[in-house]
């Protein structure tokens, strides 16, 4: 079933025509209403009037997450504040959150693309959606919610957590579809399977899973344990939220990007030049129709490839699953590692400052990670001297190191060397931002 059959099955040439028209309009709107883009394009001598087709888009410079951060919180809003009717933030997996403002127009687009996505995932009007995405600043909860309502579903806005209660509601209300992160789907599945044999009473048929990378192995496990067909939903708040792309429940081989609103490109991680279909690189989006905070060629930092699937019912381009995040994901001995995971473990330990680095090296063909971390100021009262003077053999420092090593090992599953450093000894990178990862493997 389609939510918007005409658009979803439109021939690619017709889609390109629409994209070109929308791009021209969007550029004019952005130039008039976003001083950031006016300045950027003027400085680079870009005459936007010369951009007539979607194929010219590569003449325009990229937008980065830093551009959003430098304009924190509302500097990139294009619409007057009275027209911004909702504000969301990214979940902040990679630093300070980025803020997004939505106009009525934008929320209509958001709901429409989520409604299309839900249909693509197997939903139909009249079905019940158990929405276990978090409600709040994160776009997942409210995004799925309004899209499902537009489609004509009954939404059960459970949000995250309280797993026992979720299981009770799944049984009593009989939702046919669940939306949540893949990891939460596994938690639910395990609880249902392990703690009581009530699975037969659960009426779920489909699971719409996203907001974090996941694998075919997880799909299999969720499908088996919950008795559902599980599909991928992808999105990011900067561009809109979940439902920028969605997998078809009968195809399950990549997610259709709703290209009449979000124009995708994939660029090389080094040269930043566009890559051909099927090649992995950084996913870039241009919003073609937004008015609250349109973005031009925004680098998501998510790594994937694009491809057209001629055998698919829908014509819109597909993206592969996200293979990682360019800026901060490391793969160490098969374990995906974000520096923020280590950071989270430092949070409640005042012995350490917040300045640290992960140093990655290759030793005997194996990757090795060292956490170099500065001590916090107050520690010097305990040890009385700098680490440099004390050297390595200090019982107190040994204990600190050992504690952190064990915490990382049990939470992340990797054994890392810990290197304690004196305060202010870890360099800061050019923009004043800390360089978290030093990759010596390249
Ligand atoms: P943050 O960048 O703070 O995590 P968001 O909450 O907007 O901000 O999350 C968007 C990011 O979440 C995406 O850029 C991507 O890295 C990840 N993401 C969202 N959906 C998926 C998905 N289906 N598969 C893999 N990663 C996803």
């Amino acid at each position: 079933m389609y939510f918007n059959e005409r658009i979803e099955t439109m021939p690619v040439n017709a889609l390109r025509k629409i994209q070109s028209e929308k791009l021209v309009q969007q550029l004019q709107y952005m130039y008039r209403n976003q001083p950031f883009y006016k300045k950027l394009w003027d400085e680079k001598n870009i005459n936007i009037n010369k951009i007539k087709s979607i194929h010219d888009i590569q003449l325009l410079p990229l937008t980065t997450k830093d551009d959003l951060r430098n304009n924190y919180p509302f500097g990139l809003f294009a619409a007057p504040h009275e027209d911004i009717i909702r504000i969301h933030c990214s979940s902040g997996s990679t630093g300070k959150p980025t803020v997004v403002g939505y106009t009525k127009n934008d929320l209509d687009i958001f709901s429409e693309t989520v409604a299309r996505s839900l249909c693509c995932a197997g939903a139909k009007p009249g079905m019940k959606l158990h929405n276990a995405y978090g409600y709040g600043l994160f776009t997942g909860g409210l995004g799925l919610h309004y899209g499902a309502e537009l489609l004509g579903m009954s939404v059960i806005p459970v949000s995250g957590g309280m797993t026992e209660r979720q299981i009770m509601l799944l049984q009593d209300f009989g939702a046919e579809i669940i939306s949540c992160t893949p990891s939460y789907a596994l938690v639910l599945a395990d609880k249902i399977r392990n703690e009581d044999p009530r699975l037969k009473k659960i009426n779920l048929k489909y699971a719409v899973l996203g907001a974090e990378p996941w694998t075919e192995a997880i799909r299999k496990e969720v499908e088996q344990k919950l008795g559902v067909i599980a599909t991928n939903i992808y999105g990011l708040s900067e561009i809109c939220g979940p439902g920028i792309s969605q997998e078809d429940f009968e195809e399950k081989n990549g997610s259709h990007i709703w290209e009449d609103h979000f124009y995708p490109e994939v660029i090389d991680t080094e040269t930043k030049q566009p890559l051909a279909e099927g090649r992995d690189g950084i996913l870039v989006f241009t919003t073609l129709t937004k008015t609250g905070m349109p973005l031009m060629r925004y680098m998501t930092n998510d790594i994937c490839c694009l491809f057209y699937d001629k055998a698919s019912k829908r014509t819109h381009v597909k993206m592969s699953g996200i293979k990682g995040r360019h800026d901060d994901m490391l793969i160490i001995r098969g374990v995906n590692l974000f520096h923020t995971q280590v950071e989270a473990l430092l949070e409640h330990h005042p012995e350490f400052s917040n300045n640290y680095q992960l140093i990655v090296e290759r030793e005997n063909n194996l990757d090795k990670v060292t956490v170099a971390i500065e001590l916090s100021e107050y520690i010097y009262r305990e040890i009385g001297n700098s680490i440099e003077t004390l050297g390595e053999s200090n019982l107190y420092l040994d204990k600190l190191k050992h504690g952190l090593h064990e915490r990382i090992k049990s939470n992340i599953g990797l054994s890392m060397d810990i290197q304690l450093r004196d305060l202010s000894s870890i360099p800061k990178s050019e923009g004043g931002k800390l360089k978290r990862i030093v990759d010596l493997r390249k």
Side-chain angles (χ1 to χ4, degrees):
M1 195 194 128
Y2 304 98
F3 183 74
N4 189 336
E5 183 169 358
R6 185 182 68 83
I7 295 283
E8 290 173 50
T9 60
M10 176 174 269
V12 172
N13 283 346
L15 204 48
R16 291 285 171 273
K17 196 158 165 275
I18 289 186
Q19 288 168 332
S20 296
E21 287 163 10
K22 288 180 173 175
L23 175 68
V24 169
Q25 282 170 16
Q26 181 90 100
L27 279 171
Q28 296 292 341
Y29 177 82
M30 293 170 79
Y31 192 79
R32 280 197 311 274
N33 296 296
Q34 285 170 299
F36 167 81
Y37 280 112
K38 180 179 187 311
K39 184 162 172 270
L40 179 69
W41 298 336
D42 282 351
E43 274 172 8
K44 293 193 182 292
N45 285 322
I46 291 165
N47 180 356
I48 55 161
N49 295 317
K50 290 205 170 138
I51 294 180
K52 305 268 187 228
S53 137
I54 198 75
H55 302 294
D56 299 333
I57 201 165
Q58 280 138 22
L59 300 173
L60 293 159
L62 296 158
T63 309
T64 65
K65 214 174 257 275
D66 274 344
D67 294 327
L68 264 65
R69 291 200 181 112
N70 295 338
N71 287 281
Y72 179 86
F74 304 144
L76 274 166
F77 284 13
H81 282 282
E82 58 272 24
D83 291 344
I84 299 287
I85 60 171
R86 198 193 298 164
I87 291 175
H88 277 293
C89 285
S90 73
S91 45
S93 352
T94 53
K96 211 177 169 109
T98 47
V99 182
V100 188
Y102 300 74
T103 58
K104 165 91 174 55
N105 162 78
D106 300 341
L107 291 182
D108 288 346
I109 292 166
F110 197 174
S111 296
E112 149 113 24
T113 49
V114 170
R116 285 186 206 174
S117 298
L118 284 166
C119 283
C120 205
K124 291 195 175 75
M127 283 185 175
K128 290 183 275 303
L129 175 73
H130 182 101
N131 187 15
Y133 272 126
Y135 280 68
L137 279 173
F138 169 60
T139 45
L142 289 174
L144 264 291
H145 185 106
Y146 287 108
E149 283 190 356
L150 180 66
L151 175 59
M153 302 180 78
S154 307
V155 188
I156 304 160
V158 269
S159 198
M162 294 205 283
T163 306
E164 288 298 335
R165 202 166 105 115
Q166 301 233 7
I167 293 170
M168 183 188 83
L169 296 178
L170 281 169
Q171 292 178 98
D172 296 348
F173 293 3
E176 295 91 346
I177 302 208
I178 183 169
S179 47
C180 60
T181 60
S183 49
Y184 194 60
L186 279 178
V187 169
L188 278 172
D190 283 338
K191 263 227 143 54
I192 293 170
R193 298 283 286 204
N194 296 340
E195 288 188 7
D196 72 53
R198 293 178 292 184
L199 183 62
K200 61 182 182 310
K201 289 200 205 154
I202 282 172
N203 195 31
L204 285 176
K205 296 188 172 47
Y206 305 101
V208 191
L209 308 179
E212 64 191 17
W214 57 303
T215 56
E216 283 304 317
I218 297 177
R219 186 191 323 254
K220 217 178 248 165
E221 204 177 328
V222 171
E223 291 190 334
Q224 270 169 9
K225 289 183 171 171
L226 284 179
V228 293
I229 297 177
T231 54
N232 183 50
I233 187 164
Y234 165 88
L236 69 165
S237 52
E238 296 95 303
I239 297 303
C240 194
I244 286 171
S245 76
Q246 168 68 45
E247 253 177 343
D248 181 293
F249 74 104
E250 290 172 326
E251 298 169 7
K252 295 200 285 189
N253 65 346
S255 308
H256 284 291
I257 297 172
W258 309 121
E259 326 180 40
D260 53 322
H261 291 294
F262 316 116
Y263 181 74
E265 299 166 76
V266 163
I267 60 170
D268 186 272
T269 52
E270 302 297 324
T271 65
K272 307 286 186 284
Q273 290 306 307
L275 292 175
E277 258 185 79
R279 301 265 316 274
D280 279 342
I282 301 175
L283 182 61
V284 169
F285 279 111
T286 295
T287 62
L288 294 172
T289 48
K290 281 182 74 186
T291 53
M293 196 182 95
L295 292 178
M296 183 57 54
R297 305 195 74 212
Y298 180 68
M299 285 198 343
T300 64
N301 283 332
D302 293 326
I303 305 286
C304 71
C305 69
L306 299 176
F307 59 100
Y308 282 90
D309 177 1
K310 299 250 159 51
S312 171
K313 302 189 269 303
R314 292 174 178 82
T315 48
H316 293 226
V317 72
K318 285 184 174 178
M319 57 185 266
S320 66
I322 299 296
K323 303 190 173 136
R325 214 128 113 154
H326 176 57
D327 48 359
D328 67 358
M329 198 189 80
L330 296 165
I331 303 174
I332 305 296
R333 286 172 255 142
V335 177
N336 292 356
L337 172 70
F338 291 96
H339 64 77
T340 44
Q341 289 173 279
V342 175
E343 193 170 308
L345 298 175
L346 298 173
E347 240 169 34
H348 303 292
H349 293 274
E351 310 88 283
F352 304 114
S353 90
N354 58 11
N355 199 13
Y356 70 93
Q357 280 182 330
L358 301 189
I359 301 160
V360 191
E361 296 158 286
R362 190 154 288 152
E363 216 177 60
N364 306 325
N365 287 327
L366 279 180
D367 291 330
K368 174 184 150 197
V369 183
T370 302
V371 184
I373 171 118
E374 290 179 4
L375 295 180
S376 70
E377 221 166 74
Y378 99 97
I379 277 299
Y380 289 93
R381 286 198 293 274
E382 301 281 337
I383 58 175
N385 228 322
S386 68
I387 301 178
E388 215 178 315
T389 322
L390 286 172
E392 291 288 292
S393 54
N394 178 288
L395 267 182
Y396 183 83
L397 296 182
D398 274 352
K399 225 172 106 191
L400 271 186
K401 278 204 303 204
H402 181 72
L404 183 57
H405 177 270
E406 290 306 298
R407 263 204 311 287
I408 290 176
K409 199 168 164 195
S410 63
N411 284 280
I412 302 177
L414 283 170
S415 197
M416 300 184 194
D417 282 359
I418 311 293
Q419 209 177 75
L420 298 179
R421 300 268 186 92
D422 279 318
L423 199 62
S424 302
S425 62
I426 295 180
K428 303 194 174 182
S429 76
E430 281 166 19
K433 260 169 70 76
L434 302 176
K435 193 175 173 203
R436 297 301 196 192
I437 295 168
V438 182
D439 197 341
L440 303 176
R441 294 172 299 179
K442 289 170 188 158

